[in-house]
Amino acid sequence: MKNKVKFALNILGIVVATLVLLFMVLAFIVSKVLLDDMFGRAEHDVSLSVDFSEEDMEARGYNRKPVSFDSEGNTLYGNVWGDTNGDKLVVIAHGIGNYANGYYNEMAYFVDEGYCVMTYNCTGTYTSEGKGTTGLSQSPIDLHNALLFVESDPDLKDKDVYLFGHSWGGHAVTAVLNYEHKNIKAVASVAGYNSNGGIMLEWMKYKMGMGGGAYVIFPFAAICSYPEAHGKYNYTGVGGINKVDIPVLAVQGGNDDTVFEDSIYSHYLLGDITNEKFEYVFYDNGTHSGVLMSEDPDKVDYRKEVSQKYDELTEKYNGKIPEDALKKFYSEIEKDKYNGVNEATMSEVSKFFEKA
């Protein structure tokens, strides 16, 4: 009888171990598929966009110098805008899925304020090389390499550097402070998150609708993400902020549905930030991208009008708008009426940089 019980327990143990192993293999496969899909290439066609092209900006009087630099074996492409004879340089880090052109409004604002500005496309984005955007740690890695380029460029290496980033870029401008870089005078992180793992868990719980199940899948996703981070997976925004003795500004919206629990601002509320030069601006009704979009009533109305026309076009073609109709739609958009900065946010950032 004892032998039968022992045999049955052994079989049960083997079955349980096999099921656990199968679950782990399946969890790794699911995590890898999800990550590869989430961090694939970010392709853009500026002609099918409300964003300004380089030619649009040049026509508005913003001169540029094309630049390129290496980041972990991929060549990244960008531009240096404005007068390079000045002593101040703003480096802009864009959000994931976005691209440099999506921040040309902010670039122009800084140039008008007398700054020279560097913009670039991150790994796997638009004009830059890379099979994909890699992961949540890639933005500070790319910014680190952008700053190495700045520090070696004859026209830029002696300038005071100011960092400005949004979302993925908002993480980049704080996490990059874990590296050793000279000449950084101040940092502005807009809707930036603190850590690779923290924001991944937040997205799984809410944006991907996993709820509590996210805690089961998260360890496997984290392990899959680690190799892609080139040893920098644990570089956090808070760690970077606390490491330096320079002013850091966090801008956060209360209605941000993309970055909140792991936002730099939330970690400040938790008492995690010890840098005495840290400041924040909080907009109760601010959204993730809205904190950078113009609140001018005419522009708000025009954006609504464009959005309504797009919805009508989508309905007309059952969600599959023909390319010629799409091109016609975008060609008729008056980009000057559509685009513009959030004056409140940019004024706060400008004042913060000026007093640094």
Side-chain angles (χ1 to χ4, degrees):
M1 183 66 180
K2 287 183 179 180
N3 288 336
K4 289 184 178 180
V5 171
K6 185 177 180 180
F7 178 76
L9 290 174
N10 286 338
I11 294 296
L12 179 61
I14 291 171
V15 170
V16 171
T18 301
L19 290 175
V20 170
L21 181 61
L22 287 173
F23 169 77
M24 291 177 66
V25 170
L26 181 62
F28 275 121
I29 292 172
V30 170
S31 297
K32 182 61 176 172
V33 170
L34 286 174
L35 290 171
D36 286 347
D37 179 65
M38 184 180 294
F39 302 115
R41 274 198 62 85
E43 303 288 6
H44 293 273
D45 184 343
V46 75
S47 68
L48 300 179
S49 167
V50 298
D51 299 317
F52 290 122
S53 67
E54 286 77 13
E55 293 73 23
D56 290 332
M57 300 313 295
E58 288 176 320
R60 286 161 176 76
Y62 296 96
N63 59 296
R64 68 185 175 104
K65 173 188 173 184
V67 296
S68 62
F69 56 93
D70 178 81
S71 183
E72 305 299 331
N74 292 305
T75 300
L76 309 189
Y77 294 92
N79 294 286
V80 173
W81 301 86
D83 185 2
T84 56
N85 292 320
D87 59 359
K88 300 184 297 183
L89 170 71
V90 172
V91 180
I92 297 179
H94 67 74
I96 197 163
N98 211 322
Y99 61 147
N101 300 57
Y103 298 85
Y104 280 175
N105 297 299
E106 290 73 28
M107 175 277 291
Y109 183 95
F110 285 124
V111 170
D112 290 344
E113 290 285 303
Y115 294 89
C116 175
V117 180
M118 179 178 173
T119 60
Y120 62 93
N121 293 304
C122 283
T123 297
T125 300
Y126 190 32
T127 57
S128 290
E129 293 180 350
K131 64 180 181 180
T133 50
T134 304
L136 293 163
S137 293
Q138 190 62 41
S139 57
I141 293 171
D142 287 344
L143 179 54
H144 163 62
N145 287 300
L147 292 175
L148 289 178
F149 167 79
V150 167
E151 291 160 6
S152 66
D153 185 86
D155 294 330
L156 305 175
K157 65 181 182 178
D158 296 322
K159 297 186 187 302
D160 291 339
V161 176
Y162 301 82
L163 304 181
F164 177 89
H166 172 240
S167 192
W168 196 40
H171 169 66
V173 298
T174 55
V176 80
L177 300 176
N178 288 287
Y179 295 88
E180 299 294 334
H181 284 290
K182 62 179 183 177
N183 295 347
I184 299 176
K185 300 302 178 184
V187 173
S189 172
V190 181
Y193 57 87
N194 173 53
S195 67
N196 191 325
I199 194 62
M200 184 185 296
L201 184 59
E202 183 176 341
W203 286 357
M204 284 182 169
K205 286 194 296 184
Y206 304 118
K207 294 190 75 68
M208 299 176 72
M210 292 185 181
Y215 292 95
V216 177
I217 298 296
F218 170 71
F220 302 96
I223 292 171
C224 289
S225 298
Y226 198 86
E228 303 290 349
H230 303 283
K232 306 301 187 294
Y233 181 88
N234 293 320
Y235 274 14
T236 67
V238 170
I241 293 169
N242 291 340
K243 185 178 179 181
V244 298
D245 185 34
I246 61 174
V248 177
L249 175 70
V251 179
Q252 182 67 40
N255 286 334
D256 191 323
D257 65 350
T258 303
V259 176
F260 199 85
E261 282 187 359
D262 192 51
S263 68
I264 299 298
Y265 171 75
S266 292
H267 281 275
Y268 164 75
L269 295 181
L270 291 170
D272 296 337
I273 294 177
T274 58
N275 183 333
E276 294 182 355
K277 295 180 180 178
F278 175 83
E279 297 182 26
Y280 70 89
V281 175
F282 184 78
Y283 298 111
D284 288 335
N285 298 317
T287 60
H288 188 64
S289 296
V291 291
L292 286 179
M293 297 177 71
S294 174
E295 295 180 327
D296 177 277
D298 291 336
K299 291 186 181 296
V300 171
D301 289 343
Y302 185 66
R303 290 199 300 265
K304 289 179 180 178
E305 179 185 328
V306 169
S307 180
Q308 183 178 346
K309 287 181 179 178
Y310 186 83
D311 289 343
E312 290 171 356
L313 204 60
T314 301
E315 184 176 352
K316 177 180 178 180
Y317 292 105
N318 296 316
K320 298 180 180 179
I321 306 172
E323 187 175 349
D324 59 342
L326 201 58
K327 286 183 176 179
K328 182 175 185 296
F329 169 77
Y330 280 106
S331 69
E332 293 174 349
I333 293 175
E334 298 178 62
K335 292 183 179 180
D336 283 326
K337 288 179 65 176
Y338 189 99
N339 284 285
V341 299
N342 186 303
E343 292 289 345
T345 295
M346 296 308 294
S347 176
E348 292 286 355
V349 172
S350 180
K351 287 186 294 185
F352 186 77
F353 282 176
E354 284 298 314
K355 72 179 184 180

